[in-house]
Amino acid sequence: MAPKGKGGDKGGKSKDAGAEKGGGKAKGAQSINVRHILCEKHSKKEQAVEKLNNGTKFDEVAREFSEDKARQGGSLGWKTKGSLMPEFEAVAFELEASTTGNPKWTECKTSEGYHIIMVEGRK
């Protein structure tokens, strides 16, 4: 489970931990299967973070809290480098893959609002 507390590095050792699969491809992924929870207000994002910290599945929290059009559990599908907002992409491509039941996630802020991001696959 993600460590509790405030701050952007919710994924723990997310920067290098993805190297165990595929011979260190974590840094070199060209596309990711990504989910997010988008909240316009910081307070709503904090409520979603609290649910995640309490063990609620990522897709369930996304359905309840996300204000994005991608209501299918926050799924954005496979995205390639250069197809996402720069602030979003910078943190999303650093995350290791995880599952909705045990997500490794991080946060960022863009012009759209506050995002909580997890990655389900990398290639």
Side-chain angles (χ1 to χ4, degrees):
M1 182 154 27
K4 295 185 192 287
K6 298 193 184 233
D9 189 23
K10 299 285 188 190
K13 302 176 189 131
S14 64
K15 294 222 185 300
D16 298 313
E20 76 276 0
K21 268 200 275 183
K25 282 189 180 172
K27 290 284 190 197
Q30 292 303 302
S31 61
I32 53 174
N33 188 3
V34 65
R35 288 181 184 262
H36 78 146
I37 301 166
L38 173 63
C39 300
E40 198 174 302
K41 291 192 164 63
H42 185 265
S43 59
K44 188 169 183 183
K45 188 264 305 174
E46 288 297 308
Q47 290 176 331
V49 164
E50 189 176 330
K51 286 248 184 187
L52 289 170
N53 281 335
N54 289 332
T56 307
K57 290 175 72 173
F58 192 94
D59 54 335
E60 291 172 16
V61 177
R63 275 191 280 278
E64 183 178 347
F65 287 91
S66 189
E67 298 163 11
D68 184 24
K69 295 181 286 292
R71 288 267 174 182
Q72 317 94 306
S75 178
L76 297 175
W78 285 96
K79 297 292 179 188
T80 57
K81 280 196 174 180
S83 68
L84 297 162
M85 296 179 100
E87 311 92 327
F88 188 105
E89 191 169 288
V91 295
F93 274 87
E94 292 295 318
L95 276 172
E96 67 178 293
S98 61
T99 63
T100 58
N102 187 21
K104 296 198 180 354
W105 50 276
T106 192
E107 302 175 34
C108 78
K109 183 174 188 322
T110 69
S111 59
E112 293 180 352
Y114 298 90
H115 302 263
I116 304 169
I117 306 164
M118 72 158 288
V119 171
E120 287 188 289
R122 303 171 59 86
K123 60 183 177 185

